Amino acid sequence: MAHVFDPGPVNEPFASLVQNYPGPDVYPSGSFRVEWGPLFHRGRLDGSARLLVIGQDPAESESVVRRILVGEAGHRTQGLMAKLGFDHSYLMINTFLYSMFGSTGATHAGDPGIVSYRHQWLDAIFAGNQIEAVLALGQLASDSWQTWQQTSNGKKHSPPFEHVTHPTQPESASGGNSTTLRQLIKAMLANWNQALVALHPQISNPDTPGPLVPYGTSFKPAERIEIPEFDVPAGLPEWMRSPNNWADRVGNTAAAKRRNITITIPSGVV
Amino acid sequence: MAHVFDPGPVNEPFASLVQNYPGPDVYPSGSFRVEWGPLFHRGRLDGSARLLVIGQDPAESESVVRRILVGEAGHRTQGLMAKLGFDHSYLMINTFLYSMFGSTGATHAGDPGIVSYRHQWLDAIFAGNQIEAVLALGQLASDSWQTWQQTSNGKKHSPPFEHVTHPTQPESASGGNSTTLRQLIKAMLANWNQALVALHPQISNPDTPGPLVPYGTSFKPAERIEIPEFDVPAGLPEWMRSPNNWADRVGNTAAAKRRNITITIPSGVV
């Protein structure tokens, strides 16, 4: 069977955008892991995107796959998009090109260089696609959208928009407490259901039409969906797209962890 | 300054080739690290290649960059190609798509499925490029070339060909003995000089014309050349192309090492 792959940003306007990304002069290295290189997108860059997802910033596995939202947040988002009827006609970008380091990244959300580069992407996406809905994962993503909406290009577009809780907010906020984690996931899924109820009727051309099936109080296995092969570069092994974690930052100090990504193939593969 | 990147195998005939690669049914997992996915090439796939380099099998860093010959062997090869006047009009493929595991990989060099897929690449390369010279790195690569030369397509082409010592043969054969390593590097560079003397006069259209400057008895720093940005995917950090090692297989057992690649950014970057 053919292994269909994602060609990536090889055609304009995206080819020029990825050749001219902002570096440490725009993204301060004290607040962002600029040393791992910028990460731009996941999904369709050929004009066929109808759902736009705005995320926050990339994590470990993204630095290896060179696509965004391929880790836990990505698998949950894949399930969320499926609830809206999208299994391939989507495009995801992040608020930040680089992974946030420490706690000061958010203070740069309004930095002109960061904003203007993201606006170039949003301008290009809306110029070349028929976007039917926009989903923001978390507050920073929502702010990114609202900021663009105030530009002259942004004012020309008013697709249905929903801001949902970031898909790994429960992990971030529960501090390792499993009871709190369950409660936060339950709350997040209730929040997601509200967004789905608002957006689902407004989708005219889903990939897979059907009634809305809301979330329960926890994720069912089928609600965390493998990243499709057609979203990643040619030849990537399947486990890099699986819902099992395979990348970690390892080190005894913050500095050592920052320089490290350790890839461990999930058990059962080899 | 624009960060020019390599679009990869996005156009035919290579797009179809990378969608239909052989898996563990052809490359036995006891002899090859099939779990890291196939690695296909480095260099030009747009018909502009004039030097073809055939290597052996990919290593750790290649599994992350998703291009071949980007580690130590790659930096030495980059210098070797430069001696022939090539700094961009080259294309490299390997004998094997997957990294050899243990000592039995070479016994599969003649397996029909492995050979026929490699021949599809060689057919496509010679159908679409004006190749002026072919360089094989090591015995397996030389055998790959000779095997293709005996096919009906191979018989139509007889470019100047040289088989040189594999660029990391000194490391493999010296078993950690630094005196032996120096001797083997000296011998390898003498071998490379012979190949250069044979090939250099036969290159009609180098990227950078000039007289042949042979190697001395050890590598000069400028003879290990950084992998060009235009050879790797968009957004990859510069240190992934530098001559400093940054990827290792780490683990207490062979099985654990096989499942691991540990990325450590070289010191001085962060």
Side-chain angles (χ1 to χ4, degrees):
Chain A
M1 210 181 72
H3 299 276
V4 182
F5 64 96
D6 172 44
V10 294
N11 294 317
E12 296 297 350
F14 302 104
S16 287
L17 280 173
V18 302
Q19 288 183 59
N20 294 283
Y21 57 80
D25 52 325
V26 168
Y27 277 88
S29 61
S31 302
F32 296 97
R33 295 183 178 90
V34 288
E35 62 275 8
W36 292 93
L39 293 160
F40 302 104
H41 90 294
R42 178 158 72 85
R44 309 288 77 74
L45 294 177
D46 61 357
S48 69
R50 291 194 301 276
L51 174 66
L52 173 65
V53 175
I54 306 176
Q56 184 174 293
D57 68 320
E60 298 89 322
S61 51
E62 281 82 1
S63 293
V64 177
V65 174
R66 308 312 293 185
R67 295 292 184 273
I68 68 166
L69 284 162
V70 299
E72 181 61 29
H75 291 87
R76 293 177 180 181
T77 302
Q78 202 71 24
L80 181 57
M81 296 192 301
K83 299 262 187 204
L84 287 173
F86 289 102
D87 62 11
H88 64 274
S89 300
Y90 50 75
L91 175 55
M92 311 176 199
I93 62 169
N94 272 339
T95 299
F96 296 126
L97 293 179
Y98 302 95
S99 174
M100 294 163 79
F101 180 74
S103 56
T104 54
T107 65
H108 296 283
D111 287 6
I114 293 176
V115 171
S116 69
Y117 183 76
R118 191 174 58 233
H119 284 184
Q120 288 180 57
W121 272 81
L122 287 165
D123 290 350
I125 290 166
F126 277 86
N129 294 271
Q130 299 298 318
I131 299 294
E132 298 192 11
V134 179
L135 205 50
L137 310 177
Q139 187 62 50
L140 289 168
S142 178
D143 294 347
S144 295
W145 174 251
Q146 306 292 353
T147 304
W148 183 71
Q149 282 273 275
Q150 291 160 31
T151 67
S152 57
N153 275 328
K155 284 174 182 161
K156 296 175 195 157
H157 302 276
S158 51
F161 167 79
E162 289 292 323
H163 162 200
V164 296
T165 304
H166 189 277
T168 52
Q169 180 272 347
E171 279 72 8
S172 307
S174 59
N177 182 308
S178 61
T179 306
T180 310
L181 178 63
R182 270 197 304 278
Q183 288 165 345
L184 290 174
I185 286 179
K186 182 180 171 184
M188 177 175 76
L189 296 180
N191 166 275
W192 287 12
N193 280 339
Q194 286 185 326
L196 289 170
V197 166
L199 284 183
H200 194 275
Q202 303 189 71
I203 305 293
S204 303
N205 298 289
D207 297 326
T208 55
L212 173 60
V213 180
Y215 289 98
T217 55
S218 65
F219 281 104
K220 296 186 181 70
E223 290 170 340
R224 294 169 67 235
I225 298 182
E226 183 163 277
I227 310 302
E229 191 168 33
F230 55 73
D231 272 10
V232 302
L236 251 67
E238 186 180 2
W239 53 264
M240 284 193 182
R241 302 182 285 107
S242 79
N244 300 308
N245 182 50
W246 51 266
D248 286 297
R249 302 189 200 277
V250 175
N252 293 324
T253 64
K257 278 180 86 160
R258 187 166 171 163
R259 288 173 58 193
N260 176 279
I261 289 181
T262 296
I263 306 172
T264 308
I265 299 181
S267 55
V269 172
V270 181
Chain B
M1 210 181 71
H3 299 276
V4 183
F5 65 95
D6 172 44
V10 294
N11 295 317
E12 295 299 348
F14 302 104
S16 287
L17 281 174
V18 303
Q19 287 183 59
N20 294 284
Y21 57 80
D25 51 327
V26 168
Y27 278 88
S29 61
S31 301
F32 297 96
R33 295 184 178 89
V34 288
E35 63 275 9
W36 291 94
L39 293 159
F40 302 104
H41 90 294
R42 178 158 72 86
R44 309 290 75 73
L45 294 177
D46 61 357
S48 69
R50 292 192 302 276
L51 174 66
L52 172 65
V53 175
I54 306 176
Q56 183 174 293
D57 68 319
E60 297 89 323
S61 51
E62 282 82 2
S63 294
V64 178
V65 174
R66 308 310 295 185
R67 295 292 185 273
I68 67 166
L69 284 163
V70 299
E72 181 61 29
H75 290 88
R76 293 178 180 181
T77 302
Q78 203 70 24
L80 181 58
M81 297 192 299
K83 299 265 187 202
L84 288 173
F86 289 103
D87 62 11
H88 63 275
S89 300
Y90 51 74
L91 175 55
M92 311 175 200
I93 62 169
N94 272 339
T95 299
F96 296 126
L97 294 180
Y98 301 94
S99 174
M100 292 162 79
F101 179 73
S103 56
T104 53
T107 65
H108 295 284
D111 287 5
I114 293 176
V115 171
S116 68
Y117 183 76
R118 192 173 60 233
H119 283 185
Q120 289 181 56
W121 272 80
L122 287 165
D123 291 349
I125 291 165
F126 277 86
N129 295 271
Q130 299 297 320
I131 299 294
E132 297 192 11
V134 178
L135 205 52
L137 310 178
Q139 187 61 51
L140 289 168
S142 179
D143 294 346
S144 296
W145 173 250
Q146 305 293 354
T147 303
W148 183 71
Q149 281 275 275
Q150 291 159 31
T151 66
S152 57
N153 275 329
K155 284 176 182 159
K156 296 176 194 157
H157 301 276
S158 50
F161 167 78
E162 289 293 324
H163 163 199
V164 296
T165 304
H166 189 276
T168 52
Q169 180 271 346
E171 280 72 9
S172 305
S174 59
N177 182 309
S178 61
T179 306
T180 310
L181 179 63
R182 270 197 304 278
Q183 289 165 344
L184 289 174
I185 286 178
K186 182 180 170 183
M188 178 175 75
L189 295 180
N191 166 276
W192 287 13
N193 280 338
Q194 286 185 324
L196 289 170
V197 166
L199 284 183
H200 193 274
Q202 303 189 71
I203 306 293
S204 303
N205 299 289
D207 297 326
T208 55
L212 173 60
V213 180
Y215 289 98
T217 55
S218 64
F219 282 105
K220 296 186 182 70
E223 290 170 340
R224 293 169 68 233
I225 298 181
E226 182 163 282
I227 310 303
E229 191 169 33
F230 54 73
D231 272 10
V232 302
L236 251 66
E238 186 181 0
W239 53 263
M240 284 193 183
R241 301 182 286 106
S242 79
N244 301 306
N245 182 49
W246 51 266
D248 286 297
R249 301 190 200 276
V250 176
N252 292 325
T253 64
K257 279 179 87 160
R258 185 166 174 164
R259 288 174 56 193
N260 178 279
I261 289 181
T262 296
I263 306 172
T264 308
I265 299 181
S267 55
V269 172
V270 182

